[in-house]
Amino acid sequence: MDAITPKNDKSRGDPLVRPTVEEAEAAVRTLIAWAGDDPRREGLLDTPKRVVNAYREWFGGYDEDPVKYLSRTFEDVQGYDDIVILRNIDVESHCEHHMAPFIGKAFVAYKPSDAVVGISKLARVVEIFAKRLQTQETMTAQICDAITESLAPMGTAVLIEAVHECMSTRGVHHKDVTTVTTQFTGVFKSDADLRNRFLRVSGQ
């Protein structure tokens, strides 16, 4: 069995042992039976395999290290000294409380100090943290911390806006509620004009 060692998450202790594919598929069959259906009927025979494959994709962020994507930087920026902002990065994650999806957009900015990083790498960092069981608040902080620790910028800003299906499809059943979380460091925390500029670009 493989060991699961989540990267860049100081709250976790020793690695867990990853169950085998067969054990995971058996767990899905148990849930199907618990829901009241027969996992042996024709339409459900391949469902455990499909669910395990979907989980492999949805939670692939546990096997990746965001620092790896932020380690290659470029110093030749031809005198550029303003902020870098990425808008509308897709967020597809799962709530750790109900394992229900929450889907939305992320907005990420940083003010470089000595170097910049490829913009696709910032989007990749968002994706890595999204592909784990999460709370939106924790994910927002993790993205901000990873950029801050890896790039040592003058400041970092992260905003995520998402709809949580654990709230829209169960419980209170409010379908039009979005959750907005933010995290600011450095100049984005100390300079209200710069922070407000980021928020305006993010549509807030």
Side-chain angles (χ1 to χ4, degrees):
M1 297 182 185
D2 297 333
I4 304 172
T5 310
K7 307 296 193 302
N8 206 56
D9 190 340
K10 302 178 182 66
S11 68
R12 302 179 189 271
D14 295 332
L16 301 175
V17 176
R18 188 189 297 271
T20 65
V21 170
E22 293 76 17
E23 289 171 328
E25 290 179 3
V28 176
R29 282 190 287 273
T30 298
L31 285 173
I32 292 171
W34 182 87
D37 213 323
D38 183 355
R40 298 168 299 180
R41 74 174 173 85
E42 183 180 2
L44 292 173
L45 283 176
D46 290 331
T47 296
K49 181 183 297 185
R50 294 189 189 103
V51 171
V52 169
N53 286 337
Y55 267 48
R56 184 178 286 115
E57 181 177 346
W58 288 336
F59 302 114
Y62 286 113
D63 297 321
E64 297 197 74
D65 184 357
V67 173
K68 168 187 172 184
Y69 290 91
L70 295 172
S71 61
R72 185 181 180 189
T73 59
F74 306 91
E75 295 185 1
D76 184 11
V77 293
Q78 300 294 317
Y80 185 82
D81 62 355
D82 203 353
I83 60 178
V84 178
I85 304 177
L86 270 70
R87 301 174 56 196
N88 297 318
I89 303 170
D90 288 328
V91 170
E92 299 175 355
S93 192
H94 285 76
C95 164
E96 66 181 32
H97 299 139
H98 300 95
M99 298 183 74
F102 64 92
I103 298 172
K105 299 289 185 180
F107 304 80
V108 175
Y110 72 104
K111 187 166 186 182
S113 52
D114 298 321
V116 298
V117 69
I119 55 176
S120 67
K121 304 304 186 290
L122 294 173
R124 187 65 175 145
V125 167
V126 172
E127 185 179 72
I128 288 171
F129 284 116
K131 289 185 178 296
R132 301 178 182 183
L133 289 171
Q134 285 286 15
T135 68
Q136 185 174 325
E137 296 88 343
T138 299
M139 182 170 65
T140 304
Q142 288 174 335
I143 295 167
C144 190
D145 288 347
I147 295 170
T148 300
E149 293 172 10
S150 298
L151 302 182
M154 297 174 65
T156 307
V158 178
L159 182 149
I160 298 176
E161 182 172 7
V163 174
H164 290 246
E165 292 193 11
C166 61
M167 182 175 179
S168 63
T169 64
R170 58 161 301 281
V172 295
H173 289 275
H174 284 283
K175 299 183 181 302
D176 298 320
V177 176
T178 61
T179 300
V180 178
T181 51
T182 59
Q183 187 89 346
F184 303 105
T185 69
V187 292
F188 287 98
K189 180 173 280 190
S190 61
D191 187 334
D193 289 338
L194 195 64
R195 182 170 63 251
N196 289 334
R197 179 179 164 199
F198 168 75
L199 292 172
R200 285 195 302 272
V201 171
S202 303
Q204 301 300 309

